[in-house]
Amino acid sequence: AAWIDGDWKLHKNSVKSGDFKWSLYNLASDAAENQDLAGDQPERVAQLREALEAWQKSVVNSLNQQDY
């Protein structure tokens, strides 16, 4: 999954352990997504992660007709 907010893009990637790896990119300065900034910006990762997870929950609720 990915979430974009302004110049920022957060990636949620599955890893073998069943966990997720979070990657963060500034698209304005790194359009090719070569420099993962997640380690340098944990507060931004948390903010974008919260937004992504809220959206994913909303999608599931819509599919199950639980948000009307």
Side-chain angles (χ1 to χ4, degrees):
W3 186 257
I4 297 175
D5 183 13
D7 292 338
W8 297 95
K9 184 175 184 181
L10 180 73
H11 283 264
K12 178 182 181 181
N13 297 299
S14 297
V15 293
K16 287 186 180 183
S17 68
D19 275 338
F20 298 99
K21 178 183 183 289
W22 297 92
S23 304
L24 179 69
Y25 302 96
N26 184 320
L27 299 176
S29 62
D30 180 21
E33 300 177 17
N34 291 317
Q35 185 177 8
D36 181 3
L37 301 172
D40 296 334
Q41 303 231 6
E43 67 287 339
R44 190 176 306 273
V45 171
Q47 176 188 17
L48 295 176
R49 178 179 173 173
E50 184 177 325
L52 172 61
E53 289 174 345
W55 176 78
Q56 287 177 317
K57 182 177 180 182
S58 173
V59 169
V60 170
N61 287 341
S62 290
L63 289 172
N64 293 322
Q65 299 179 353
Q66 296 174 345
D67 62 349
Y68 319 136

